[in-house]
Amino acid sequence: MIEIIQGSFWCACTLTIYLSSQKLHRTYGRWWSSPMLVTWAGCGILILALHANYREYLLGTNWMIWLLGPATVAFAIPIYRQQALIQKHWLLLCIGVAVGSLLAFATCWGLAAFFHFSPEIRASLLPRSVTTPLAMEASSRIGGVPELTAIFTAITGLFGAAIGESLLCFLPIRSSFARGALFGMGAHGAGVAKAREIGQEEGVVASLIMILAGLLNVLLAGLISSL
Amino acid sequence: MIETVSAATHQSVSIQQRGIQVIALALFCWLAQQFTAKLNWPIPGSLVGLLLLWFLLNRRMLPATWVEHGANDLLQHLMLFFVPAMLALVNRPDLFSMLGVKLLIVVFISTLAVMCGTACVVEIGFRLRND
């Protein structure tokens, strides 16, 4: 009985904070008002303030984690809708995804070795530049902790979306295609949202790059783990 | 350029219909997960579900309107779904230390490299093809 009450309490808290953070984000529209960051911080502070533990929190909210599966399946819709664009630019998209993933692996691996991180943390860092549901999938396959990957991925998205526009001022980029690739590969979901604000083509390219990068990472992780 | 989310038609679909579409997608995903677990495949079930759904849409065996609105709803609230996983942070006091700072540095540098590198390579590719 107590578990049902605890579960409903945390579920209600999370949804309330999430819905109000959406209103907040519509007013301010900056990286720090992102619903993900506000809900994360809000629930975290509440858990610590009430001396609750993570297990209690999950009682009412693990259905959200489970919905990541159907949400992954839902990516079939944007892929289907953008088929014409994929067929026209498949080579550029593949190059962007390959280069981006390679850079992500190389820099993470190198820096993790430099700082002497444990293998668990290193494996959790590797897939962090792809969209969260797929990053968590990939992480668990190569010996990482999916929850840690979710945290790293979220920070990547927040940071990427926050600095993306300033980066565009420095880089000699003229095509909307490259602008979209920058956001989709560097900052996944949060980047796609930002790219949509800049332009429609940027948004579409960003979401495609994000999905393709996620697919590539999960397939690679599956291959690595089955070796 | 085709719209990713057709906002106008999206509003006209009732909440019940969208709910049924979400449930259908969840069922579809669950079946795919059972399937891959039984066969011991190295790819996750949700990914098999994605590819299968895309194949069905592509072959016109399933009209996109049957799942589109539920799918858009799921993708719109994707941010909410990973908040519980991210809150595992409260279980990891070890990250609130020098280790956490180092991790932040790694994430920042790596993200910068990925963004600059990807954008430059795609830009070069774009110019080469269009010149």
Side-chain angles (χ1 to χ4, degrees), chain A:
Chain A
M1 188 60 204
I2 183 96
E3 295 200 334
I4 296 173
I5 296 170
Q6 274 176 336
S8 341
F9 172 75
W10 287 118
C11 180
C13 282
T14 310
L15 290 177
T16 314
I17 298 176
Y18 176 69
L19 292 175
S20 9
S21 71
Q22 281 192 316
K23 279 213 182 78
L24 191 81
H25 193 55
R26 272 196 288 274
T27 324
Y28 294 101
R30 301 292 299 276
W31 67 268
W32 48 263
S33 67
S34 135
M36 181 182 66
L37 182 65
V38 174
T39 315
W40 185 26
C43 291
I45 292 168
L46 208 59
I47 292 175
L48 294 176
L50 294 176
H51 298 289
N53 62 45
Y54 185 52
R55 201 191 55 80
E56 285 168 27
Y57 178 80
L58 276 186
L59 284 176
T61 53
N62 51 15
W63 59 271
M64 294 178 196
I65 298 182
W66 194 82
L67 275 179
L68 286 171
T72 307
V73 175
F75 278 128
I77 292 290
I79 296 182
Y80 171 70
R81 287 290 179 208
Q82 302 303 334
Q83 236 145 222
L85 187 84
I86 297 182
Q87 267 157 12
K88 199 168 153 214
H89 297 289
W90 65 271
L91 188 62
L92 259 185
L93 287 169
C94 288
I95 292 175
V97 166
V99 168
S101 302
L102 203 68
L103 274 171
F105 291 147
T107 48
C108 270
W109 191 263
L111 288 165
F114 176 75
F115 283 123
H116 304 294
F117 289 150
S118 66
E120 171 204 80
I121 287 190
R122 198 180 299 194
S124 309
L125 267 174
L126 281 184
R128 51 140 258 295
S129 67
V130 302
T131 184
T132 310
L134 295 172
M136 288 170 74
E137 240 356 305
S139 169
S140 66
R141 263 149 226 279
I142 54 171
V145 183
E147 286 80 13
L148 281 181
T149 302
I151 295 165
F152 300 147
T153 308
I155 296 172
T156 301
L158 290 168
F159 177 65
I163 61 155
E165 258 173 310
S166 339
L167 269 185
L168 285 178
C169 304
F170 294 113
L171 295 171
I173 283 170
R174 289 194 303 243
S175 69
S176 54
F177 212 87
R179 281 197 292 270
L182 176 138
F183 279 108
M185 193 61 229
H188 50 92
V192 172
K194 198 83 214 160
R196 277 217 185 103
E197 286 170 25
I198 295 176
Q200 206 201 344
E201 192 171 84
E202 279 88 344
V204 173
V205 172
S207 61
L208 277 180
I209 290 263
M210 174 186 85
I211 299 167
L212 296 177
L215 294 181
L216 177 76
N217 277 259
V218 174
L219 290 175
L220 278 181
L223 281 177
I224 291 170
S225 69
S226 65
L227 284 180

Side-chain angles (χ1 to χ4, degrees), chain B residues 29-75:
Chain B
C29 177
W30 182 78
L31 284 173
Q33 279 165 346
Q34 298 298 317
F35 183 72
T36 47
K38 277 257 154 44
L39 294 183
N40 231 338
W41 279 11
I43 358 175
S46 52
L47 204 59
V48 174
L50 190 167
L51 295 173
L52 191 62
L53 181 60
W54 173 76
F55 178 81
L56 291 175
L57 292 169
N58 204 14
R59 291 286 131 132
R60 312 254 180 258
M61 292 198 246
L62 187 83
T65 45
W66 280 19
V67 287
E68 187 167 30
H69 303 286
N72 285 338
D73 281 337
L74 279 171
L75 292 178

